[in-house]
Amino acid sequence: ASGQAITFMETDLRQGGRTSGGVRGVRMRDDDKCIGFVVCPPEGSLVVVSSNGIGKQTPWANFRVQRRGGHGLRASVTNARTGPLVSAVSITPEATDLMAITASGIIIRTRIADIRRTGRNSSGVRIIRPDDGDTVVAASAFGQGDLDFVDFATPVVPDPEDSFVRILAPGEIEDDEPTEGATVDVEPETTPDA
């Protein structure tokens, strides 16, 4: 959470059973915690996002390979403006977008190309501006192909009968009242001939 990252070879990890304790990946200082463990493709980059909505993208080439168990290298500057880091995301060439979510459920989607690529020793740019008392809790990257099943032009309206969200089909938009100045065409009801 304080901005350190370590890169080591997968072969430095030994295989173990379900009950084994594992090995140390990174040595943390007393007040620090691990926020993520990602695989780093050589042509990709690392995006880190802080609790105050600041994010940055750093190419993996900027992180030298070390032995596991060390303190690592600085991945991002953390301070009062940024807050602690909350998410680390490995960006592959197929990834096009990043979503970040706050503790109150606000989600923002941004293009990864809009997140400036910087060196390791910088704090980044604003990705989302959480409301007072709110913080970013997670972020995730995805490619455009991952969202082929979602039609973002389709309105989403909460269903009062349950706690799920219902996606409306085109032409099924529900309005309780017409907007001011709008005209409404109402066809008279016809009764079937007896």
Side-chain angles (χ1 to χ4, degrees):
S2 67
Q4 295 295 109
I6 190 165
T7 305
F8 56 86
M9 300 298 291
E10 180 184 5
T11 55
D12 287 351
L13 298 173
R14 66 174 183 261
Q15 253 184 345
R18 289 182 302 115
T19 59
S20 68
V23 296
R24 181 184 303 271
V26 61
R27 186 173 307 279
M28 293 179 286
R29 291 176 172 73
D30 293 337
D31 59 342
D32 207 0
K33 65 179 181 176
C34 182
I35 61 161
F37 186 85
V38 297
V39 176
C40 47
E43 66 281 355
S45 60
L46 173 71
V47 168
V48 291
V49 181
S50 73
S51 63
N52 291 341
I54 306 296
K56 63 175 282 198
Q57 181 177 187
T58 306
W60 282 118
N62 289 12
F63 296 92
R64 73 175 184 271
V65 176
Q66 300 176 297
R67 301 283 300 182
R68 65 172 179 78
H71 288 290
L73 303 171
R74 176 168 302 282
S76 182
V77 172
T78 57
N79 52 36
R81 174 182 163 259
T82 65
L85 297 182
V86 294
S87 192
V89 182
S90 180
I91 304 299
T92 62
E94 296 81 28
T96 58
D97 295 276
L98 181 91
M99 277 193 173
I101 186 168
T102 66
S104 66
I106 304 297
I107 297 175
I108 190 165
R109 175 182 175 190
T110 187
R111 291 177 347 126
I112 291 172
D114 293 342
I115 302 172
R116 186 180 55 192
R117 293 178 80 121
T118 64
R120 294 183 298 107
N121 200 22
S122 63
S123 59
V125 296
R126 176 138 336 254
I127 292 177
I128 184 172
R129 187 178 305 276
D131 293 334
D132 290 340
D134 200 6
T135 60
V136 176
V137 293
S140 182
F142 55 91
Q144 192 60 42
D146 297 335
L147 297 177
D148 286 344
F149 66 94
V150 178
D151 178 9
F152 286 101
T154 302
V156 177
V157 177
D159 189 346
E161 294 179 12
D162 56 33
S163 61
F164 296 98
V165 173
R166 185 166 55 105
I167 298 178
L168 299 176
E172 192 184 4
I173 298 174
E174 299 173 348
D175 279 334
D176 290 339
E177 297 177 14
T179 56
E180 189 175 324
T183 59
V184 179
D185 293 330
V186 178
E187 293 185 26
E189 287 188 29
T190 57
T191 56
D193 293 334

